[in-house]
């Protein structure tokens, strides 16, 4: 019987016919910032129809997150227009919209005898009093109503975003979640529960991916996200809870961590993959329903914010003063400060030149399972000292403390007669200067040994 050679594989199955070749780039602007001062917040691609349109509710929730969880905000075609007449799961056919926060959240902030009307984000108490922007009306009286739309503050990046505990937007609250039956570690529970990649049903080469990234553990703790885990309160492992993990194919895990796609609801209770960049990923996975039965919707919302907020970089780098939401408080920031906030400092352990990356044997199971989250943090070159210079005496001392045999240099010094040994520095104060006699004696001894 002859061996059969199979024909080559065709290209991967795609849904490219469902997307426009040139989708709309839908712009979302701040209604209280003049056009000349750069009021463009973000741009999203219209990938939700063959005509290049964008899902209305996805865009509205994205803008609400940027405005500090203003879930009752709405989209309009101009700064003073009424809300657009499009149902939540309808499509945005235009290319430019303004996100407007209703007047119910007015909070006048006085500074230097003037006031600025602000919209207070959900769950935030306004205690600081930021200085008004120069474009504000200088003739207004304290607590006087301001004409026009609110100048709401903008969240500059994820670590400044306050999670809306107990106040999920309507569509997200319809996501059905069940508690995981597993009681073992997160890695074992996730693998036995999912068994394959949740996006592709692939069994081989899968990773345990975190919804809220491991690098954001400080944010996770600060916002009390532990409460949404699957385990009993006394057993919840925090950010490593299996309600915050899922199996993804290794290459998709990398794309996930590069913020190329996220997961969000686009109809009642159904969660789909939403691709923000990469045409190839869009053609295969965009709007494909995902099994997230055991994933907490709160973690999915946090992931959406983590993926979305870096899109504000151009807004922050525009060279204008901005009213930003810092640690839950609105503050005016200079152009230089805004530019710095566009790139929050990394918490990578390799940032310090005096620290070495941990060996694989000392890493936790979470680091080994979620390689992408930790490789980027642990990939610094090893350094010996802060200035990068080798210090043999320091290392010899370490060897001696650990009970190791002395180095050749140590052994040679120990065998010298007392009169020929290198002089010992003084124990306290003053600069040590060896005597000419001791230097000449030491040199003479070495020459005799070499001869």
């Amino acid at each position: 019987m002859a061996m059969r050679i199979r024909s080559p594989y065709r290209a991967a199955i795609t849904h490219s016919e469902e997307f426009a070749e040139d989708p709309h780039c839908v712009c979302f602007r701040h209604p209280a910032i003049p056009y000349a001062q750069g009021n463009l917040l973000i741009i999203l691609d219209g990938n939700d129809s063959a005509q290049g349109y964008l899902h209305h509710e996805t865009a509205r929730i994205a803008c609400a997150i940027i405005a500090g969880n203003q879930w009752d905000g709405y989209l309009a075609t101009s700064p003073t227009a009424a809300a657009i007449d499009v149902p939540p799961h309808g499509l945005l056919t235009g290319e430019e919209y303004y996100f407007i926060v209703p007047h119910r959240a007015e909070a006048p902030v006085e500074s230097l005898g003037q006031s600025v009307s602000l919209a207070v984000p959900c769950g935030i108490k306004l205690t600081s009093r930021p200085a008004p922007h120069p474009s504000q009306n200088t003739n207004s009286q304290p607590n006087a109503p301001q004409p026009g739309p609110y100048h709401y503050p903008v969240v500059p990046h994820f670590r400044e975003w306050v999670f809306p505990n107990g106040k999920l937007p309507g569509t997200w609250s319809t996501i059905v979640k069940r508690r995981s039956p597993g009681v073992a570690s997160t890695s074992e529970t996730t693998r036995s529960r999912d068994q394959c990649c949740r996006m592709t049903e692939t069994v081989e080469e899968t990773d345990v991916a975190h919804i809220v990234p491991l690098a954001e553990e400080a944010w996770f703790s600060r916002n009390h996200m532990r409460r949404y885990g699957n385990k009993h309160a006394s057993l919840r492992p925090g950010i490593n809870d299996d309600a915050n993990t899922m199996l993804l194919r290794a290459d998709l895990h990398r794309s996930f961590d590069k913020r190329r796609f996220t997961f969000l609801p686009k109809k009642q209770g159904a969660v789909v993959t939403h691709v923000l960049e990469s045409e190839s990923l869009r053609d295969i996975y965009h709007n494909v329903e995902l099994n997230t039965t055991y994933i907490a919707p709160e973690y999915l919302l946090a992931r959406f914010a983590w993926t979305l907020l870096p899109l504000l970089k151009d807004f922050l780098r525009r060279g204008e003063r901005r009213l930003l939401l810092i640690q839950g408080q609105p503050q005016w920031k200079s152009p230089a400060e805004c530019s710095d906030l566009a790139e929050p400092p990394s918490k990578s352990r390799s940032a310090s030149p005096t620290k070495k990356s941990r060996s694989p044997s000392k890493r936790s199971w979470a680091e080994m399972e979620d390689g992408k989250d930790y490789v980027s943090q642990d990939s610094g070159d090893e350094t010996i000292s802060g200035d990068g210079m080798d210090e043999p005496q320091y290392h010899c001392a370490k060897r001696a403390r650990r009970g190791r045999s002395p180095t050749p240099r140590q052994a040679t010094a120990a065998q010298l007669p007392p009169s020929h040994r290198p002089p010992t520095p003084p124990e306290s104060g003053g600069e040590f200067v060896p005597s000419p006699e001791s230097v000449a004696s030491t040199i003479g001894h070495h020459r005799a040994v070499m001869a």
Side-chain angles (χ1 to χ4, degrees), residues 31-182:
I33 300 177
Y35 186 88
Q37 294 178 5
N39 60 3
L40 178 61
L41 295 171
I42 58 170
I43 300 175
L44 298 176
D45 288 337
N47 289 326
D48 292 319
S49 75
Q51 295 75 31
Y53 300 153
L54 179 65
H55 183 242
H56 177 198
E57 186 69 357
T58 297
R60 191 185 71 84
I61 296 301
C63 292
I65 288 173
I66 290 171
N69 309 326
Q70 296 286 354
W71 305 137
D72 58 349
Y74 59 88
L75 298 177
T77 54
S78 75
T80 57
I84 58 175
D85 187 16
V86 178
H89 296 296
L91 297 173
L92 301 179
T93 59
E95 297 187 357
E96 185 168 290
Y97 296 91
Y98 291 82
F99 181 71
I100 299 175
V101 173
H103 285 227
R104 65 141 184 96
E106 182 176 6
V109 181
E110 300 176 20
S111 179
L112 302 177
Q114 302 179 21
S115 67
V116 180
S117 294
L118 303 176
V120 181
C122 296
I124 293 176
K125 296 181 179 180
L126 189 60
T127 58
S128 62
R129 299 180 181 273
H133 190 276
S135 64
Q136 297 292 333
N137 182 6
T138 58
N139 296 322
S140 60
Q141 298 298 321
N143 299 327
Q146 300 294 311
Y150 280 119
H151 194 145
Y152 52 80
V154 171
V155 180
H157 58 75
F158 180 74
R159 291 173 186 170
E160 300 292 350
W161 183 59
V162 178
F163 187 80
N165 287 303
K167 297 180 180 179
L168 286 178
T171 309
W172 294 80
S173 61
T174 64
I175 300 176
V176 178
K177 169 182 169 287
R178 295 202 304 266
R179 287 193 175 274
S180 174

